[in-house]
């Protein structure tokens, strides 16, 4: 009897290998968007402009070196800023630079490390963005050290100037 079971099992296995696979359930519910939730802004991005990524890196370097005035050349006439713990503010360039100087003035030194800088362009709207991830170590004038992980999103206007900055932080 066991001699008959082995060939019978082999036939069952062979038959099941040739059977068509059942259709996945997801195939029945095809949608026009590639994601199950439609993003408010877009999900269609392509590589952006490297020179804009360099602008963002220069801004980080100028902030570290406390040469904030050098950043002014990259900022649009007005900029919308969202910083941790603060409401979104639309400011004129001079006011934004004054606020940045005041914030940087709390520290005697700042050292940043960059993990990723990613220039992107939205495919349909042609809006330019640069995303950056890194960490910052800062010392107050009293010598107290603070560290934080940063993610920033920079938006650029049609003239290649920064018109939006969103900052996200994790304090260590």
């Amino acid at each position: 009897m066991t001699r008959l079971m082995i060939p019978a099992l082999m036939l069952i296995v062979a038959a099941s290998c040739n059977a068509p696979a059942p259709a996945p359930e997801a195939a029945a519910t095809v949608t026009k968007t590639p994601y199950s939730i439609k993003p408010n802004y877009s999900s269609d991005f392509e590589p952006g402009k490297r020179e804009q990524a360099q602008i963002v890196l220069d801004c980080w370097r100028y902030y570290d070196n406390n040469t904030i005035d050098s950043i002014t050349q990259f900022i649009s006439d007005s900029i919308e800023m969202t910083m941790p713990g603060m409401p979104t503010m639309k400011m004129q360039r001079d006011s934004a630079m004054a606020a940045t100087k005041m914030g940087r003035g709390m520290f005697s030194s700042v050292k940043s490390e960059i993990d990723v800088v990613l220039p992107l362009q939205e495919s349909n709207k042609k809006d330019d963005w640069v995303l950056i991830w890194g960490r910052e170590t800062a010392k107050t004038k009293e010598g107290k050290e603070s560290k934080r992980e940063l993610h920033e999103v920079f938006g650029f206007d049609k003239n290649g100037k920064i018109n939006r900055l969103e900052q996200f932080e994790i304090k260590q």
Side-chain angles (χ1 to χ4, degrees):
M1 176 93 125
T2 57
R3 289 184 197 182
L4 291 177
M5 288 179 86
I6 293 175
L9 284 174
M10 289 174 61
L11 282 173
I12 292 170
V13 169
S16 67
C17 288
N18 292 328
E25 290 179 33
T29 57
V30 176
T31 61
K32 292 182 181 179
T33 61
Y35 302 108
S36 62
I37 298 174
K38 185 178 184 288
N40 289 331
Y41 175 71
S42 179
S43 63
D44 192 11
F45 288 89
E46 55 195 43
K49 300 172 182 162
R50 289 178 183 248
E51 58 270 15
Q52 290 176 337
Q54 186 60 54
I55 288 171
V56 170
L57 292 170
D58 287 344
C59 287
W60 275 45
R61 181 171 44 95
Y62 292 141
Y63 187 85
D64 282 3
N65 295 339
N66 200 19
T67 52
I68 306 300
D69 289 332
S70 299
I71 297 172
T72 304
Q73 63 184 316
F74 304 125
I75 306 299
S76 181
D77 290 341
S78 66
I79 182 170
E80 190 172 305
M81 297 174 70
T82 305
M83 306 305 277
M86 299 178 71
T88 299
M89 298 172 282
K90 189 160 188 153
M91 306 164 78
Q92 295 302 312
R93 177 180 40 232
D94 293 342
S95 298
M97 293 293 86
T100 303
K101 283 181 183 181
M102 188 176 76
R104 176 58 177 86
M106 297 186 320
F107 303 109
S108 62
S109 68
V110 176
K111 182 178 181 341
S112 297
E113 297 176 54
I114 308 299
D115 292 325
V116 175
V117 61
L118 179 63
L120 297 170
Q121 186 176 71
E122 197 286 330
S123 299
N124 297 318
K125 298 175 180 125
K126 299 299 182 196
D127 290 338
D128 292 310
W129 300 91
V130 173
L131 285 63
I132 188 167
W133 290 265
R135 71 194 48 78
E136 174 186 276
T137 303
K139 281 191 181 173
T140 65
K141 293 179 179 178
E142 296 77 32
K144 184 179 177 191
E145 186 174 272
S146 64
K147 295 183 179 188
R148 60 186 186 151
E149 299 286 325
L150 291 172
H151 168 53
E152 292 181 338
V153 178
F154 289 81
F156 287 80
D157 66 15
K158 300 301 178 196
N159 297 318
K161 302 280 186 175
I162 299 168
N163 66 357
R164 177 138 183 81
L165 168 60
E166 292 182 48
Q167 185 183 83
F168 306 90
E169 71 176 2
I170 299 173
K171 293 181 181 180
Q172 298 180 334

PDB file of all heavy atoms in Angstrom, residues 29-45:
ATOM      1  N   THR A  29      -9.421  45.301  -7.632  1.00  0.00           N
ATOM      2  CA  THR A  29      -9.660  46.686  -7.239  1.00  0.00           C
ATOM      3  C   THR A  29      -8.526  47.576  -7.734  1.00  0.00           C
ATOM      4  O   THR A  29      -7.762  48.108  -6.960  1.00  0.00           O
ATOM      5  CB  THR A  29      -9.795  46.805  -5.714  1.00  0.00           C
ATOM      6  OG1 THR A  29      -8.592  46.285  -5.133  1.00  0.00           O
ATOM      7  CG2 THR A  29     -10.993  46.060  -5.187  1.00  0.00           C
ATOM      8  N   VAL A  30      -8.394  47.731  -9.035  1.00  0.00           N
ATOM      9  CA  VAL A  30      -7.351  48.559  -9.631  1.00  0.00           C
ATOM     10  C   VAL A  30      -7.768  50.029  -9.517  1.00  0.00           C
ATOM     11  O   VAL A  30      -8.890  50.392  -9.835  1.00  0.00           O
ATOM     12  CB  VAL A  30      -7.124  48.179 -11.107  1.00  0.00           C
ATOM     13  CG1 VAL A  30      -6.111  49.114 -11.752  1.00  0.00           C
ATOM     14  CG2 VAL A  30      -6.681  46.735 -11.218  1.00  0.00           C
ATOM     15  N   THR A  31      -6.843  50.857  -9.038  1.00  0.00           N
ATOM     16  CA  THR A  31      -7.118  52.282  -8.932  1.00  0.00           C
ATOM     17  C   THR A  31      -6.215  53.050  -9.880  1.00  0.00           C
ATOM     18  O   THR A  31      -5.222  52.518 -10.376  1.00  0.00           O
ATOM     19  CB  THR A  31      -6.880  52.781  -7.489  1.00  0.00           C
ATOM     20  OG1 THR A  31      -5.507  52.545  -7.160  1.00  0.00           O
ATOM     21  CG2 THR A  31      -7.787  52.089  -6.501  1.00  0.00           C
ATOM     22  N   LYS A  32      -6.530  54.316 -10.110  1.00  0.00           N
ATOM     23  CA  LYS A  32      -5.747  55.135 -11.029  1.00  0.00           C
ATOM     24  C   LYS A  32      -4.472  55.660 -10.391  1.00  0.00           C
ATOM     25  O   LYS A  32      -3.554  56.039 -11.072  1.00  0.00           O
ATOM     26  CB  LYS A  32      -6.591  56.296 -11.530  1.00  0.00           C
ATOM     27  CG  LYS A  32      -7.723  55.851 -12.418  1.00  0.00           C
ATOM     28  CD  LYS A  32      -8.512  57.029 -12.924  1.00  0.00           C
ATOM     29  CE  LYS A  32      -9.657  56.566 -13.779  1.00  0.00           C
ATOM     30  NZ  LYS A  32     -10.470  57.667 -14.264  1.00  0.00           N
ATOM     31  N   THR A  33      -4.408  55.750  -9.052  1.00  0.00           N
ATOM     32  CA  THR A  33      -3.216  56.243  -8.385  1.00  0.00           C
ATOM     33  C   THR A  33      -2.396  55.055  -7.892  1.00  0.00           C
ATOM     34  O   THR A  33      -2.936  54.001  -7.600  1.00  0.00           O
ATOM     35  CB  THR A  33      -3.579  57.147  -7.187  1.00  0.00           C
ATOM     36  OG1 THR A  33      -4.323  56.375  -6.256  1.00  0.00           O
ATOM     37  CG2 THR A  33      -4.382  58.343  -7.637  1.00  0.00           C
ATOM     38  N   PRO A  34      -1.075  55.240  -7.778  1.00  0.00           N
ATOM     39  CA  PRO A  34      -0.242  54.117  -7.356  1.00  0.00           C
ATOM     40  C   PRO A  34      -0.305  53.837  -5.850  1.00  0.00           C
ATOM     41  O   PRO A  34       0.261  52.869  -5.393  1.00  0.00           O
ATOM     42  CB  PRO A  34       1.168  54.550  -7.764  1.00  0.00           C
ATOM     43  CG  PRO A  34       1.114  56.039  -7.756  1.00  0.00           C
ATOM     44  CD  PRO A  34      -0.284  56.403  -8.145  1.00  0.00           C
ATOM     45  N   TYR A  35      -1.005  54.676  -5.086  1.00  0.00           N
ATOM     46  CA  TYR A  35      -1.049  54.510  -3.643  1.00  0.00           C
ATOM     47  C   TYR A  35      -2.482  54.400  -3.167  1.00  0.00           C
ATOM     48  O   TYR A  35      -3.408  54.893  -3.807  1.00  0.00           O
ATOM     49  CB  TYR A  35      -0.355  55.701  -2.951  1.00  0.00           C
ATOM     50  CG  TYR A  35       1.071  55.858  -3.398  1.00  0.00           C
ATOM     51  CD1 TYR A  35       1.452  56.909  -4.222  1.00  0.00           C
ATOM     52  CD2 TYR A  35       2.051  54.947  -3.017  1.00  0.00           C
ATOM     53  CE1 TYR A  35       2.765  57.050  -4.652  1.00  0.00           C
ATOM     54  CE2 TYR A  35       3.355  55.077  -3.437  1.00  0.00           C
ATOM     55  CZ  TYR A  35       3.703  56.134  -4.255  1.00  0.00           C
ATOM     56  OH  TYR A  35       4.996  56.252  -4.677  1.00  0.00           O
ATOM     57  N   SER A  36      -2.659  53.806  -2.015  1.00  0.00           N
ATOM     58  CA  SER A  36      -4.002  53.629  -1.473  1.00  0.00           C
ATOM     59  C   SER A  36      -4.578  54.923  -0.910  1.00  0.00           C
ATOM     60  O   SER A  36      -5.785  55.048  -0.760  1.00  0.00           O
ATOM     61  CB  SER A  36      -3.985  52.553  -0.384  1.00  0.00           C
ATOM     62  OG  SER A  36      -3.144  52.954   0.671  1.00  0.00           O
ATOM     63  N   ILE A  37      -3.719  55.883  -0.593  1.00  0.00           N
ATOM     64  CA  ILE A  37      -4.159  57.202  -0.132  1.00  0.00           C
ATOM     65  C   ILE A  37      -3.560  58.236  -1.073  1.00  0.00           C
ATOM     66  O   ILE A  37      -2.354  58.249  -1.307  1.00  0.00           O
ATOM     67  CB  ILE A  37      -3.693  57.480   1.315  1.00  0.00           C
ATOM     68  CG1 ILE A  37      -4.306  56.461   2.268  1.00  0.00           C
ATOM     69  CG2 ILE A  37      -4.061  58.898   1.730  1.00  0.00           C
ATOM     70  CD1 ILE A  37      -3.790  56.568   3.684  1.00  0.00           C
ATOM     71  N   LYS A  38      -4.397  59.112  -1.600  1.00  0.00           N
ATOM     72  CA  LYS A  38      -3.927  60.122  -2.548  1.00  0.00           C
ATOM     73  C   LYS A  38      -3.274  61.274  -1.784  1.00  0.00           C
ATOM     74  O   LYS A  38      -3.887  61.890  -0.928  1.00  0.00           O
ATOM     75  CB  LYS A  38      -5.096  60.655  -3.365  1.00  0.00           C
ATOM     76  CG  LYS A  38      -4.677  61.618  -4.454  1.00  0.00           C
ATOM     77  CD  LYS A  38      -5.895  62.072  -5.248  1.00  0.00           C
ATOM     78  CE  LYS A  38      -5.523  62.941  -6.394  1.00  0.00           C
ATOM     79  NZ  LYS A  38      -5.087  64.260  -6.097  1.00  0.00           N
ATOM     80  N   PRO A  39      -2.003  61.574  -2.065  1.00  0.00           N
ATOM     81  CA  PRO A  39      -1.341  62.702  -1.408  1.00  0.00           C
ATOM     82  C   PRO A  39      -2.007  64.031  -1.778  1.00  0.00           C
ATOM     83  O   PRO A  39      -2.461  64.204  -2.909  1.00  0.00           O
ATOM     84  CB  PRO A  39       0.089  62.649  -1.944  1.00  0.00           C
ATOM     85  CG  PRO A  39       0.265  61.271  -2.469  1.00  0.00           C
ATOM     86  CD  PRO A  39      -1.091  60.832  -2.928  1.00  0.00           C
ATOM     87  N   ASN A  40      -2.045  64.969  -0.830  1.00  0.00           N
ATOM     88  CA  ASN A  40      -2.616  66.282  -1.089  1.00  0.00           C
ATOM     89  C   ASN A  40      -1.829  67.053  -2.137  1.00  0.00           C
ATOM     90  O   ASN A  40      -2.400  67.750  -2.964  1.00  0.00           O
ATOM     91  CB  ASN A  40      -2.669  67.114   0.200  1.00  0.00           C
ATOM     92  CG  ASN A  40      -3.702  66.600   1.158  1.00  0.00           C
ATOM     93  OD1 ASN A  40      -4.711  66.032   0.753  1.00  0.00           O
ATOM     94  ND2 ASN A  40      -3.452  66.784   2.435  1.00  0.00           N
ATOM     95  N   TYR A  41      -0.510  66.953  -2.099  1.00  0.00           N
ATOM     96  CA  TYR A  41       0.321  67.741  -3.009  1.00  0.00           C
ATOM     97  C   TYR A  41       0.662  66.938  -4.266  1.00  0.00           C
ATOM     98  O   TYR A  41       0.270  67.289  -5.361  1.00  0.00           O
ATOM     99  CB  TYR A  41       1.591  68.207  -2.296  1.00  0.00           C
ATOM    100  CG  TYR A  41       2.554  68.930  -3.199  1.00  0.00           C
ATOM    101  CD1 TYR A  41       2.265  70.206  -3.669  1.00  0.00           C
ATOM    102  CD2 TYR A  41       3.737  68.346  -3.606  1.00  0.00           C
ATOM    103  CE1 TYR A  41       3.126  70.873  -4.527  1.00  0.00           C
ATOM    104  CE2 TYR A  41       4.607  68.994  -4.452  1.00  0.00           C
ATOM    105  CZ  TYR A  41       4.297  70.258  -4.913  1.00  0.00           C
ATOM    106  OH  TYR A  41       5.162  70.909  -5.761  1.00  0.00           O
ATOM    107  N   SER A  42       1.430  65.853  -4.109  1.00  0.00           N
ATOM    108  CA  SER A  42       1.843  65.054  -5.259  1.00  0.00           C
ATOM    109  C   SER A  42       2.557  63.790  -4.792  1.00  0.00           C
ATOM    110  O   SER A  42       3.057  63.728  -3.677  1.00  0.00           O
ATOM    111  CB  SER A  42       2.796  65.862  -6.144  1.00  0.00           C
ATOM    112  OG  SER A  42       3.217  65.083  -7.249  1.00  0.00           O
ATOM    113  N   SER A  43       2.609  62.818  -5.678  1.00  0.00           N
ATOM    114  CA  SER A  43       3.449  61.640  -5.463  1.00  0.00           C
ATOM    115  C   SER A  43       4.328  61.408  -6.686  1.00  0.00           C
ATOM    116  O   SER A  43       4.929  60.366  -6.837  1.00  0.00           O
ATOM    117  CB  SER A  43       2.574  60.404  -5.204  1.00  0.00           C
ATOM    118  OG  SER A  43       1.778  60.133  -6.345  1.00  0.00           O
ATOM    119  N   ASP A  44       4.400  62.404  -7.553  1.00  0.00           N
ATOM    120  CA  ASP A  44       5.093  62.274  -8.823  1.00  0.00           C
ATOM    121  C   ASP A  44       6.323  63.187  -8.857  1.00  0.00           C
ATOM    122  O   ASP A  44       6.235  64.352  -9.237  1.00  0.00           O
ATOM    123  CB  ASP A  44       4.124  62.627  -9.963  1.00  0.00           C
ATOM    124  CG  ASP A  44       4.665  62.242 -11.326  1.00  0.00           C
ATOM    125  OD1 ASP A  44       5.684  61.523 -11.403  1.00  0.00           O
ATOM    126  OD2 ASP A  44       4.069  62.663 -12.332  1.00  0.00           O
ATOM    127  N   PHE A  45       7.464  62.647  -8.435  1.00  0.00           N
ATOM    128  CA  PHE A  45       8.701  63.418  -8.376  1.00  0.00           C
ATOM    129  C   PHE A  45       9.772  62.773  -9.242  1.00  0.00           C
ATOM    130  O   PHE A  45       9.756  61.567  -9.489  1.00  0.00           O
ATOM    131  CB  PHE A  45       9.211  63.500  -6.930  1.00  0.00           C
ATOM    132  CG  PHE A  45       8.383  64.391  -6.058  1.00  0.00           C
ATOM    133  CD1 PHE A  45       7.296  63.885  -5.366  1.00  0.00           C
ATOM    134  CD2 PHE A  45       8.685  65.736  -5.936  1.00  0.00           C
ATOM    135  CE1 PHE A  45       6.518  64.707  -4.567  1.00  0.00           C
ATOM    136  CE2 PHE A  45       7.920  66.566  -5.140  1.00  0.00           C
ATOM    137  CZ  PHE A  45       6.831  66.047  -4.449  1.00  0.00           C
TER     138      PHE A  45
END
